[in-house]
Amino acid sequence: MKTSLRKKLNFIIIIIFIAALILFDYNIKDSRHKSIIIGEAAPTDVFSHNTFEDELATKNNRELARENTANIYKYLPNVAIESRDKLSFLFDELKAVRYHALLSEEDKLKQLKSHIDLNLSDEDLNLLMNLDYKQLNNLQDTLNDLMVAAYNRGIKIEELEYVQNNLLDSIDTIVVNEKLRQPSKDIIAEILTYNEIVDEAATEIAKNEAEAAVKPVIVAAGDRIFEKGEMVTPNSAAMLEKAGIQVGSVKRGPIDIAKSIIKILLPTILWTYYMYNYQTKVYLSSMLYLLLFVDFVVILLSIIAAQFTIYAMPILISTLISAMFYEKEINFINSAVLGVLICAMGNWSYEALIYLIAISFLTAMFVKDFDKKSSVFLKAIAAAIFATLLSLASLNYTIAFKNAIISLAYSVGTAIISVIIVLGSAPVWEGLFGIVTHQKLYELTNTKAPILKRLAEEAPGTYQHSMMVANLSENAAKRIGADHILARVGAYYHDIGKLSNPKYFSENQFGIENPHNDLSPYDSAAIILRHVDYGVELALKEELPDSIINFIKEHHGTTKVAYFLHTAKEKNENVNEELFRYSGRKPQSKETAILMLADSCEAAVRSIKNPTDVSIKNMIDNIFRQKVDDQFGECNLTFKELEEIKDEMKRNLTAIHHDRIEYPKGEADD
């Protein structure tokens, strides 16, 4: 299905999902509201029926906007010129008085101080007068450059001290002669000043504009104006009137429909926004339909079950199915939104939300491997017990021990039933929505499968390479918590396309001349590149799942056949490099990215003639550097995970290719 058509279809399905929830929510409520009585506590959260302006809040926001508006400054161009002239005049006077032969040192100092309008110490002036012409020029240029740079950046009056201190600190580095540092600092302190001042008129205009830009604070229809238990005082009458809240019982009307829409629409919009922007692959697949279907059923069952007790709500059905088929992040987001929807639709108190979030998050966090069914049961039961105790502990009143035991029994019983339903229904979801379970993946690991058997017979080198890559991929995936079963199975099948021309791949060239010797680099590259497309064709013919076909498509990404490209360039520099580039897409998941690394590392290390630990590790470092820079922009691997994958592959490959002990002749067989 085309992406544009899928987007439209999914949008319609989500709208139907929302509409169905709103209808269900509206019809399960009582036909009348709880009464709102002046002088009594609100029996429930009270929401505004109308939209009106909160004038006091608007006024406060506008005052805050004025206060937060930054001052506007105007530039004073003459300041820099005047400072430069002061500096020039000082050094001109120093040069003039220094060479005045008729004056004593004391008279020179008096004359200099009478001419300059700077508060410099006698020690500074005496030191400066004793400098030669070149030293004076150099010092003048240095100080002038410092001030020009500062003025060019602009010096506000409130920043003057900060800028001066920075320049004074710079002098310690720039002025080499230690004796000249203090006089230089004194000159800067005397001459440097601010060259930007507040433009009062422009600033006032800006503050007025900021104030005018503040929109009135609107209390929208549906906003909460009283919390459950909050006293409705006589002073609240005006607020109630503006909000359109009537005192006493009121028949349900359009406002009630609006409330249902708001509390269902907002969480689902956030959920949709997250799925569309951050889980696009799932959003544009049939996996979205499974998630929506399961969530809808769980909401309905939870609303019904909660009439007896909140601890009978089967949110674990959704959480476990999400844990089985989706990434952990999706599970957390979906569980949170689902918990909010259930509580909002049922008007359940906070302890219900605590229970739902706790049991679903704990299960999502710890349940990973569904092949160990006993482990799934135990972890689900443990999550149920913990969540129930946490919820009961959050109550602001004491619960009877008997009731606590009953609550635990409901929770544990619901958890057990949820696990049974999920494990038993897994093949149904796989068939209806085309999703691959671990059980299906285990079936694909059977090396007696026709395509793998053919690979072993017709391309034994490729088969052995695939088995090695499978081990590397599985270990690396385990290391970072990725789907290691998927990684292993994907590695099994990633190179089946080499069955098109097995002898043209080096791992299958046993005792024969390399057939590429008789081909041009272009023809050789075409044969090598073809194995990806042919692999996809074979996979479709064998009806392999899409998740496995992705490994075939992505294991070379958009890299180039470097060897034949280099050979072609030796003959002609003007080579169209696109003819040597794989057409497959870059890795889209952690598992396919791991395979790309494992595939490249295994082949590269195998090509080392006399492998050592150092040469193997250097080769792996080089491969990781190339792939990370060019191929991993579309998968969600973190740098920390990449380091862990690299470490795991180094450990595995150095163990495989470790140095052998050279036995004395005749002892090896022993």
Side-chain angles (χ1 to χ4, degrees), residues 380-436:
I381 291 170
I385 294 172
F386 183 91
T388 304
L389 294 176
L390 182 64
S391 176
L392 294 175
S394 69
L395 297 173
N396 54 9
Y397 56 87
T398 303
I399 185 172
F401 180 75
K402 178 183 177 181
N403 292 336
I405 295 299
I406 292 173
S407 298
L408 280 169
Y410 269 112
S411 178
V412 171
T414 304
I416 293 172
I417 294 171
S418 297
V419 174
I420 293 172
I421 291 173
V422 170
L423 294 178
S425 63
V428 176
W429 311 131
E430 183 180 331
L432 287 176
F433 298 98
I435 301 173
V436 181

Short mmCIF file of all heavy atoms in Angstrom, two decimals, residues 380-436:
data_model
loop_
_atom_site.label_atom_id
_atom_site.label_comp_id
_atom_site.label_asym_id
_atom_site.label_seq_id
_atom_site.Cartn_x
_atom_site.Cartn_y
_atom_site.Cartn_z
N ALA A 380 4.59 -11.05 35.79
CA ALA A 380 3.29 -10.38 35.75
C ALA A 380 2.62 -10.41 37.12
O ALA A 380 2.04 -9.41 37.57
CB ALA A 380 2.39 -11.05 34.71
N ILE A 381 2.73 -11.54 37.81
CA ILE A 381 2.16 -11.65 39.16
C ILE A 381 2.87 -10.71 40.12
O ILE A 381 2.24 -10.02 40.94
CB ILE A 381 2.24 -13.11 39.66
CG1 ILE A 381 1.28 -14.00 38.84
CG2 ILE A 381 1.91 -13.20 41.14
CD1 ILE A 381 1.47 -15.48 39.08
N ALA A 382 4.20 -10.66 40.03
CA ALA A 382 4.98 -9.76 40.90
C ALA A 382 4.60 -8.30 40.65
O ALA A 382 4.45 -7.51 41.59
CB ALA A 382 6.47 -9.97 40.65
N ALA A 383 4.44 -7.94 39.38
CA ALA A 383 4.04 -6.56 39.04
C ALA A 383 2.65 -6.25 39.60
O ALA A 383 2.41 -5.15 40.11
CB ALA A 383 4.05 -6.37 37.53
N ALA A 384 1.75 -7.22 39.53
CA ALA A 384 0.39 -7.03 40.05
C ALA A 384 0.41 -6.81 41.56
O ALA A 384 -0.27 -5.91 42.08
CB ALA A 384 -0.47 -8.23 39.70
N ILE A 385 1.19 -7.61 42.27
CA ILE A 385 1.28 -7.48 43.73
C ILE A 385 1.86 -6.13 44.12
O ILE A 385 1.33 -5.41 44.98
CB ILE A 385 2.11 -8.62 44.32
CG1 ILE A 385 1.38 -9.97 44.12
CG2 ILE A 385 2.39 -8.39 45.80
CD1 ILE A 385 2.22 -11.17 44.50
N PHE A 386 2.97 -5.77 43.46
CA PHE A 386 3.64 -4.49 43.78
C PHE A 386 2.70 -3.32 43.50
O PHE A 386 2.57 -2.40 44.32
CB PHE A 386 4.92 -4.36 42.96
CG PHE A 386 5.70 -3.11 43.26
CD1 PHE A 386 6.68 -3.12 44.24
CD2 PHE A 386 5.45 -1.93 42.58
CE1 PHE A 386 7.40 -1.97 44.52
CE2 PHE A 386 6.16 -0.78 42.85
CZ PHE A 386 7.15 -0.80 43.83
N ALA A 387 2.05 -3.32 42.33
CA ALA A 387 1.18 -2.21 41.95
C ALA A 387 -0.02 -2.09 42.89
O ALA A 387 -0.43 -0.98 43.25
CB ALA A 387 0.71 -2.40 40.51
N THR A 388 -0.57 -3.23 43.30
CA THR A 388 -1.71 -3.21 44.22
C THR A 388 -1.31 -2.63 45.57
O THR A 388 -2.02 -1.78 46.14
CB THR A 388 -2.28 -4.63 44.40
OG1 THR A 388 -2.61 -5.17 43.12
CG2 THR A 388 -3.51 -4.61 45.28
N LEU A 389 -0.20 -3.08 46.10
CA LEU A 389 0.27 -2.57 47.39
C LEU A 389 0.57 -1.08 47.32
O LEU A 389 0.27 -0.32 48.24
CB LEU A 389 1.51 -3.34 47.84
CG LEU A 389 1.29 -4.83 48.17
CD1 LEU A 389 2.61 -5.50 48.51
CD2 LEU A 389 0.32 -4.96 49.34
N LEU A 390 1.18 -0.65 46.20
CA LEU A 390 1.48 0.78 46.03
C LEU A 390 0.20 1.60 45.97
O LEU A 390 0.10 2.67 46.59
CB LEU A 390 2.29 0.99 44.75
CG LEU A 390 2.74 2.42 44.45
CD1 LEU A 390 3.70 2.92 45.53
CD2 LEU A 390 3.42 2.49 43.08
N SER A 391 -0.80 1.09 45.27
CA SER A 391 -2.07 1.79 45.16
C SER A 391 -2.78 1.87 46.51
O SER A 391 -3.30 2.92 46.90
CB SER A 391 -2.95 1.08 44.13
OG SER A 391 -4.23 1.67 44.07
N LEU A 392 -2.80 0.75 47.23
CA LEU A 392 -3.45 0.74 48.55
C LEU A 392 -2.74 1.66 49.53
O LEU A 392 -3.37 2.32 50.36
CB LEU A 392 -3.49 -0.70 49.09
CG LEU A 392 -4.37 -1.69 48.32
CD1 LEU A 392 -4.20 -3.09 48.89
CD2 LEU A 392 -5.84 -1.27 48.35
N ALA A 393 -1.43 1.72 49.42
CA ALA A 393 -0.66 2.57 50.33
C ALA A 393 -0.90 4.06 50.06
O ALA A 393 -0.67 4.90 50.93
CB ALA A 393 0.84 2.27 50.19
N SER A 394 -1.36 4.39 48.85
CA SER A 394 -1.60 5.80 48.50
C SER A 394 -2.94 6.31 49.02
O SER A 394 -3.20 7.51 48.97
CB SER A 394 -1.55 5.97 46.98
OG SER A 394 -2.66 5.33 46.38
N LEU A 395 -3.79 5.41 49.53
CA LEU A 395 -5.09 5.83 50.04
C LEU A 395 -4.93 6.66 51.30
O LEU A 395 -4.03 6.42 52.12
CB LEU A 395 -5.96 4.60 50.35
CG LEU A 395 -6.32 3.71 49.15
CD1 LEU A 395 -7.03 2.45 49.64
CD2 LEU A 395 -7.19 4.47 48.16
N ASN A 396 -5.79 7.67 51.46
CA ASN A 396 -5.70 8.53 52.65
C ASN A 396 -6.59 8.03 53.78
O ASN A 396 -6.96 8.77 54.67
CB ASN A 396 -6.07 9.97 52.29
CG ASN A 396 -7.43 10.08 51.62
OD1 ASN A 396 -8.17 9.10 51.56
ND2 ASN A 396 -7.76 11.27 51.12
N TYR A 397 -6.97 6.77 53.70
CA TYR A 397 -7.73 6.16 54.79
C TYR A 397 -7.27 4.72 54.95
O TYR A 397 -6.64 4.15 54.05
CB TYR A 397 -9.24 6.20 54.51
CG TYR A 397 -9.66 5.56 53.21
CD1 TYR A 397 -9.93 4.19 53.13
CD2 TYR A 397 -9.78 6.34 52.06
CE1 TYR A 397 -10.31 3.61 51.94
CE2 TYR A 397 -10.16 5.76 50.85
CZ TYR A 397 -10.43 4.40 50.80
OH TYR A 397 -10.80 3.83 49.62
N THR A 398 -7.56 4.12 56.09
CA THR A 398 -7.10 2.76 56.39
C THR A 398 -8.07 1.75 55.79
O THR A 398 -9.29 1.88 55.94
CB THR A 398 -7.02 2.54 57.91
OG1 THR A 398 -6.14 3.53 58.46
CG2 THR A 398 -6.48 1.15 58.21
N ILE A 399 -7.51 0.74 55.12
CA ILE A 399 -8.33 -0.29 54.51
C ILE A 399 -8.23 -1.57 55.34
O ILE A 399 -7.16 -1.89 55.89
CB ILE A 399 -7.87 -0.56 53.05
CG1 ILE A 399 -8.82 -1.55 52.37
CG2 ILE A 399 -6.44 -1.05 52.99
CD1 ILE A 399 -8.55 -1.73 50.89
N ALA A 400 -9.32 -2.26 55.45
CA ALA A 400 -9.34 -3.50 56.23
C ALA A 400 -8.44 -4.54 55.57
O ALA A 400 -8.32 -4.61 54.35
CB ALA A 400 -10.77 -4.03 56.34
N PHE A 401 -7.80 -5.36 56.43
CA PHE A 401 -6.88 -6.39 55.92
C PHE A 401 -7.58 -7.33 54.94
O PHE A 401 -7.02 -7.70 53.90
CB PHE A 401 -6.30 -7.18 57.10
CG PHE A 401 -5.35 -8.26 56.68
CD1 PHE A 401 -4.06 -7.94 56.26
CD2 PHE A 401 -5.74 -9.59 56.68
CE1 PHE A 401 -3.19 -8.94 55.86
CE2 PHE A 401 -4.88 -10.59 56.29
CZ PHE A 401 -3.59 -10.26 55.87
N LYS A 402 -8.81 -7.69 55.27
CA LYS A 402 -9.57 -8.59 54.41
C LYS A 402 -9.78 -7.97 53.03
O LYS A 402 -9.62 -8.65 51.99
CB LYS A 402 -10.93 -8.89 55.06
CG LYS A 402 -11.82 -9.79 54.22
CD LYS A 402 -13.17 -9.98 54.91
CE LYS A 402 -14.12 -10.82 54.03
NZ LYS A 402 -15.44 -11.01 54.67
N ASN A 403 -10.11 -6.70 52.99
CA ASN A 403 -10.31 -6.02 51.71
C ASN A 403 -9.02 -5.93 50.90
O ASN A 403 -9.03 -5.99 49.67
CB ASN A 403 -10.90 -4.63 51.94
CG ASN A 403 -12.32 -4.68 52.47
OD1 ASN A 403 -13.02 -5.68 52.27
ND2 ASN A 403 -12.75 -3.63 53.15
N ALA A 404 -7.90 -5.76 51.63
CA ALA A 404 -6.61 -5.70 50.95
C ALA A 404 -6.30 -7.03 50.29
O ALA A 404 -5.81 -7.09 49.15
CB ALA A 404 -5.51 -5.32 51.94
N ILE A 405 -6.59 -8.13 50.99
CA ILE A 405 -6.36 -9.47 50.44
C ILE A 405 -7.24 -9.70 49.21
O ILE A 405 -6.81 -10.26 48.20
CB ILE A 405 -6.61 -10.55 51.51
CG1 ILE A 405 -5.59 -10.43 52.65
CG2 ILE A 405 -6.55 -11.94 50.89
CD1 ILE A 405 -4.16 -10.61 52.22
N ILE A 406 -8.50 -9.24 49.31
CA ILE A 406 -9.41 -9.39 48.17
C ILE A 406 -8.90 -8.61 46.96
O ILE A 406 -8.92 -9.10 45.82
CB ILE A 406 -10.83 -8.92 48.56
CG1 ILE A 406 -11.44 -9.87 49.59
CG2 ILE A 406 -11.73 -8.82 47.32
CD1 ILE A 406 -12.76 -9.39 50.16
N SER A 407 -8.39 -7.40 47.22
CA SER A 407 -7.84 -6.58 46.13
C SER A 407 -6.65 -7.27 45.48
O SER A 407 -6.52 -7.30 44.25
CB SER A 407 -7.43 -5.20 46.66
OG SER A 407 -8.54 -4.50 47.17
N LEU A 408 -5.77 -7.85 46.32
CA LEU A 408 -4.62 -8.58 45.80
C LEU A 408 -5.06 -9.79 44.98
O LEU A 408 -4.47 -10.09 43.93
CB LEU A 408 -3.71 -9.02 46.95
CG LEU A 408 -2.76 -7.97 47.53
CD1 LEU A 408 -2.13 -8.48 48.82
CD2 LEU A 408 -1.68 -7.62 46.51
N ALA A 409 -6.08 -10.47 45.45
CA ALA A 409 -6.57 -11.65 44.74
C ALA A 409 -7.12 -11.27 43.37
O ALA A 409 -6.85 -11.95 42.36
CB ALA A 409 -7.66 -12.35 45.56
N TYR A 410 -7.89 -10.18 43.32
CA TYR A 410 -8.39 -9.70 42.03
C TYR A 410 -7.23 -9.36 41.09
O TYR A 410 -7.23 -9.72 39.90
CB TYR A 410 -9.26 -8.46 42.24
CG TYR A 410 -10.73 -8.75 42.44
CD1 TYR A 410 -11.34 -8.52 43.67
CD2 TYR A 410 -11.51 -9.24 41.39
CE1 TYR A 410 -12.68 -8.78 43.86
CE2 TYR A 410 -12.86 -9.49 41.58
CZ TYR A 410 -13.45 -9.27 42.81
OH TYR A 410 -14.79 -9.52 42.99
N SER A 411 -6.25 -8.65 41.62
CA SER A 411 -5.13 -8.19 40.80
C SER A 411 -4.32 -9.36 40.25
O SER A 411 -4.01 -9.42 39.05
CB SER A 411 -4.23 -7.27 41.63
OG SER A 411 -3.12 -6.84 40.88
N VAL A 412 -3.96 -10.30 41.13
CA VAL A 412 -3.16 -11.46 40.70
C VAL A 412 -3.96 -12.33 39.74
O VAL A 412 -3.43 -12.80 38.72
CB VAL A 412 -2.70 -12.27 41.93
CG1 VAL A 412 -2.06 -13.59 41.50
CG2 VAL A 412 -1.71 -11.45 42.75
N GLY A 413 -5.24 -12.55 40.05
CA GLY A 413 -6.07 -13.36 39.17
C GLY A 413 -6.20 -12.74 37.78
O GLY A 413 -6.11 -13.45 36.76
N THR A 414 -6.39 -11.42 37.73
CA THR A 414 -6.48 -10.74 36.44
C THR A 414 -5.16 -10.84 35.67
O THR A 414 -5.16 -11.00 34.44
CB THR A 414 -6.85 -9.26 36.65
OG1 THR A 414 -8.07 -9.18 37.40
CG2 THR A 414 -7.03 -8.55 35.33
N ALA A 415 -4.04 -10.74 36.41
CA ALA A 415 -2.73 -10.85 35.76
C ALA A 415 -2.54 -12.23 35.13
O ALA A 415 -2.07 -12.35 33.99
CB ALA A 415 -1.62 -10.57 36.76
N ILE A 416 -2.91 -13.27 35.85
CA ILE A 416 -2.77 -14.64 35.33
C ILE A 416 -3.64 -14.85 34.10
O ILE A 416 -3.19 -15.39 33.08
CB ILE A 416 -3.14 -15.66 36.43
CG1 ILE A 416 -2.09 -15.61 37.56
CG2 ILE A 416 -3.22 -17.07 35.86
CD1 ILE A 416 -2.46 -16.42 38.78
N ILE A 417 -4.89 -14.39 34.17
CA ILE A 417 -5.80 -14.52 33.03
C ILE A 417 -5.26 -13.74 31.83
O ILE A 417 -5.33 -14.20 30.68
CB ILE A 417 -7.21 -14.05 33.42
CG1 ILE A 417 -7.81 -14.99 34.46
CG2 ILE A 417 -8.12 -13.97 32.19
CD1 ILE A 417 -9.11 -14.49 35.06
N SER A 418 -4.71 -12.55 32.09
CA SER A 418 -4.17 -11.72 31.00
C SER A 418 -3.03 -12.42 30.29
O SER A 418 -2.94 -12.40 29.05
CB SER A 418 -3.70 -10.37 31.56
OG SER A 418 -4.77 -9.64 32.11
N VAL A 419 -2.13 -13.05 31.07
CA VAL A 419 -0.99 -13.76 30.47
C VAL A 419 -1.49 -14.92 29.61
O VAL A 419 -1.00 -15.14 28.50
CB VAL A 419 -0.02 -14.26 31.55
CG1 VAL A 419 1.08 -15.13 30.93
CG2 VAL A 419 0.61 -13.08 32.28
N ILE A 420 -2.45 -15.67 30.13
CA ILE A 420 -3.01 -16.81 29.37
C ILE A 420 -3.61 -16.33 28.06
O ILE A 420 -3.39 -16.93 26.99
CB ILE A 420 -4.06 -17.55 30.22
CG1 ILE A 420 -3.39 -18.22 31.43
CG2 ILE A 420 -4.81 -18.57 29.38
CD1 ILE A 420 -4.38 -18.81 32.42
N ILE A 421 -4.37 -15.24 28.12
CA ILE A 421 -5.01 -14.71 26.90
C ILE A 421 -3.95 -14.28 25.89
O ILE A 421 -4.05 -14.59 24.69
CB ILE A 421 -5.93 -13.52 27.27
CG1 ILE A 421 -7.15 -14.02 28.04
CG2 ILE A 421 -6.36 -12.77 26.01
CD1 ILE A 421 -8.02 -12.90 28.59
N VAL A 422 -2.93 -13.58 26.36
CA VAL A 422 -1.91 -13.06 25.44
C VAL A 422 -1.11 -14.19 24.80
O VAL A 422 -0.92 -14.22 23.57
CB VAL A 422 -0.98 -12.08 26.18
CG1 VAL A 422 0.23 -11.73 25.31
CG2 VAL A 422 -1.73 -10.82 26.57
N LEU A 423 -0.64 -15.13 25.61
CA LEU A 423 0.16 -16.24 25.07
C LEU A 423 -0.66 -17.10 24.11
O LEU A 423 -0.16 -17.56 23.07
CB LEU A 423 0.73 -17.09 26.21
CG LEU A 423 1.76 -16.41 27.11
CD1 LEU A 423 2.19 -17.36 28.23
CD2 LEU A 423 2.97 -15.95 26.32
N GLY A 424 -1.92 -17.31 24.44
CA GLY A 424 -2.76 -18.13 23.59
C GLY A 424 -3.18 -17.45 22.30
O GLY A 424 -3.41 -18.12 21.28
N SER A 425 -3.25 -16.13 22.33
CA SER A 425 -3.74 -15.41 21.15
C SER A 425 -2.62 -14.93 20.23
O SER A 425 -2.91 -14.39 19.15
CB SER A 425 -4.57 -14.19 21.59
OG SER A 425 -3.75 -13.27 22.31
N ALA A 426 -1.38 -15.13 20.62
CA ALA A 426 -0.25 -14.62 19.82
C ALA A 426 -0.30 -15.07 18.36
O ALA A 426 -0.12 -14.25 17.45
CB ALA A 426 1.08 -15.03 20.47
N PRO A 427 -0.56 -16.38 18.08
CA PRO A 427 -0.63 -16.79 16.66
C PRO A 427 -1.75 -16.10 15.90
O PRO A 427 -1.64 -15.89 14.69
CB PRO A 427 -0.88 -18.31 16.77
CG PRO A 427 -0.38 -18.70 18.12
CD PRO A 427 -0.67 -17.53 18.99
N VAL A 428 -2.82 -15.75 16.60
CA VAL A 428 -3.94 -15.06 15.94
C VAL A 428 -3.49 -13.68 15.46
O VAL A 428 -3.74 -13.28 14.32
CB VAL A 428 -5.14 -14.92 16.90
CG1 VAL A 428 -6.26 -14.11 16.25
CG2 VAL A 428 -5.63 -16.29 17.33
N TRP A 429 -2.79 -12.94 16.33
CA TRP A 429 -2.31 -11.60 15.96
C TRP A 429 -1.31 -11.70 14.81
O TRP A 429 -1.31 -10.87 13.91
CB TRP A 429 -1.67 -10.90 17.15
CG TRP A 429 -2.48 -10.92 18.41
CD1 TRP A 429 -2.07 -11.26 19.65
CD2 TRP A 429 -3.87 -10.59 18.55
NE1 TRP A 429 -3.09 -11.18 20.56
CE2 TRP A 429 -4.22 -10.76 19.91
CE3 TRP A 429 -4.86 -10.18 17.65
CZ2 TRP A 429 -5.50 -10.52 20.38
CZ3 TRP A 429 -6.14 -9.95 18.13
CH2 TRP A 429 -6.45 -10.12 19.47
N GLU A 430 -0.47 -12.73 14.88
CA GLU A 430 0.53 -12.92 13.83
C GLU A 430 -0.15 -13.13 12.48
O GLU A 430 0.27 -12.56 11.46
CB GLU A 430 1.41 -14.12 14.17
CG GLU A 430 2.52 -14.36 13.18
CD GLU A 430 3.37 -15.55 13.56
OE1 GLU A 430 3.47 -15.84 14.77
OE2 GLU A 430 3.93 -16.18 12.67
N GLY A 431 -1.21 -13.93 12.47
CA GLY A 431 -1.90 -14.20 11.21
C GLY A 431 -2.71 -13.02 10.71
O GLY A 431 -2.70 -12.70 9.52
N LEU A 432 -3.42 -12.34 11.62
CA LEU A 432 -4.30 -11.25 11.21
C LEU A 432 -3.54 -10.00 10.79
O LEU A 432 -3.92 -9.31 9.84
CB LEU A 432 -5.26 -10.89 12.36
CG LEU A 432 -6.39 -11.88 12.66
CD1 LEU A 432 -7.18 -11.42 13.87
CD2 LEU A 432 -7.32 -12.01 11.44
N PHE A 433 -2.46 -9.69 11.52
CA PHE A 433 -1.76 -8.42 11.29
C PHE A 433 -0.38 -8.59 10.68
O PHE A 433 0.35 -7.61 10.51
CB PHE A 433 -1.66 -7.64 12.61
CG PHE A 433 -3.00 -7.29 13.19
CD1 PHE A 433 -3.57 -8.08 14.19
CD2 PHE A 433 -3.71 -6.19 12.74
CE1 PHE A 433 -4.80 -7.75 14.74
CE2 PHE A 433 -4.94 -5.87 13.28
CZ PHE A 433 -5.49 -6.65 14.27
N GLY A 434 0.01 -9.81 10.36
CA GLY A 434 1.30 -10.03 9.71
C GLY A 434 2.48 -9.69 10.59
O GLY A 434 3.53 -9.25 10.11
N ILE A 435 2.34 -9.89 11.90
CA ILE A 435 3.42 -9.59 12.83
C ILE A 435 4.14 -10.89 13.20
O ILE A 435 3.51 -11.93 13.38
CB ILE A 435 2.86 -8.91 14.10
CG1 ILE A 435 2.14 -7.62 13.70
CG2 ILE A 435 3.95 -8.62 15.10
CD1 ILE A 435 1.40 -6.96 14.84
N VAL A 436 5.44 -10.82 13.32
CA VAL A 436 6.24 -12.01 13.57
C VAL A 436 6.50 -12.16 15.07
O VAL A 436 7.06 -11.26 15.71
CB VAL A 436 7.59 -11.94 12.82
CG1 VAL A 436 8.41 -13.20 13.08
CG2 VAL A 436 7.35 -11.77 11.34
#
